[in-house]
Amino acid sequence: ASGAALLLAAQGMNTAGRAALGKKKYKDSTRYFRRSAAAYEALLEWMDANQLDDAQKREAHIRAIQIYLYVQDPEKAGPHLQAIYDPNRKEHFIERGIALVEQMRKNYREALQRWQAIEKGVERRTNDWFEARFYIIKDMAEAGQKEKAIKLLKFTKVLSPGLGGAKWKPRFLKLE
């Protein structure tokens, strides 16, 4: 298959996955997203065989990462993250992806360190900050630091009583 055909297949399955998700057909969306990821995998193989530039490969890796994180498949997301990870560049998407993969793998101490670094690198009280703070508290509790997690949750509630609004507040409240 040609690169263009593989890209069209990947994009088409991704579009079908989003449509199914919009209709709350979660099993269908997951199936379409997995097919899209498989097409991105084939596209990456084709790109390697045809020596395409790194920017195009990076974009295909990013698409695969997004899909594998959505379908909660850390074992498949991990290699794509490794392929584009540069420790000298702090890229929020990559750092977040690594933290989520560690979270899904139940490597809570590693995930905690990643989320703490993310929290330090984002503006306070933004969506990214609330996401990082949520996972910091969750990972502390999972890693056996429950008292520390409870204190941080209480402090967060004082600091930001709205707890990030409709998106994050219910999640924080479930941690109690």
Side-chain angles (χ1 to χ4, degrees):
S2 74
L6 291 168
L7 181 60
L8 282 173
Q11 291 172 334
M13 288 293 126
N14 196 297
T15 300
R18 289 175 197 243
L21 187 60
K23 295 176 184 174
K24 299 185 187 231
K25 294 182 176 181
Y26 301 114
K27 285 184 180 179
D28 289 346
S29 72
T30 298
R31 186 169 25 97
Y32 287 127
F33 285 136
R34 285 192 181 278
R35 287 179 182 167
S36 176
Y40 280 116
E41 298 273 2
L43 178 60
L44 281 161
E45 287 178 23
W46 182 87
M47 289 174 155
D48 283 341
N50 290 283
Q51 301 175 349
L52 276 120
D53 68 64
D54 289 340
Q56 291 172 320
K57 289 181 195 174
R58 180 180 171 77
E59 188 61 31
H61 281 296
I62 287 171
R63 297 289 178 231
I65 292 164
Q66 290 170 327
I67 292 166
Y68 288 132
L69 289 177
Y70 172 76
V71 299
Q72 298 189 355
D73 192 338
E75 301 315 314
K76 290 198 176 174
H80 292 284
L81 284 160
Q82 289 174 342
I84 61 174
Y85 177 69
D86 179 351
N88 298 317
R89 292 175 61 186
K90 293 295 180 195
E91 296 177 87
H92 179 76
F93 172 78
I94 304 302
E95 296 296 327
R96 180 182 178 274
I98 293 169
L100 287 170
V101 164
E102 295 302 335
Q103 179 86 30
M104 289 177 205
R105 289 177 173 165
K106 300 185 187 320
N107 295 334
Y108 298 116
R109 291 184 199 283
E110 178 66 26
L112 174 60
Q113 290 175 351
R114 296 281 182 176
W115 287 116
Q116 287 170 329
I118 290 168
E119 182 188 46
K120 288 177 186 172
V122 297
E123 189 177 329
R124 287 182 155 237
R125 296 187 186 104
T126 61
N127 184 61
D128 292 336
W129 185 85
F130 282 108
E131 178 183 46
R133 179 59 64 102
F134 169 80
Y135 282 113
I136 288 168
I137 295 167
K138 186 175 182 359
D139 290 341
M140 279 180 175
E142 294 287 356
Q145 301 173 26
K146 290 190 194 285
E147 289 179 29
K148 201 172 177 183
I150 290 167
K151 284 180 184 177
L152 185 57
L153 179 58
K154 286 179 181 177
F155 179 73
T156 303
K157 287 169 82 175
V158 170
L159 181 69
S160 301
L163 294 172
K167 181 173 183 176
W168 290 106
K169 189 173 185 174
R171 294 178 187 184
F172 277 106
L173 293 177
K174 283 183 182 177
L175 293 176
E176 292 186 313

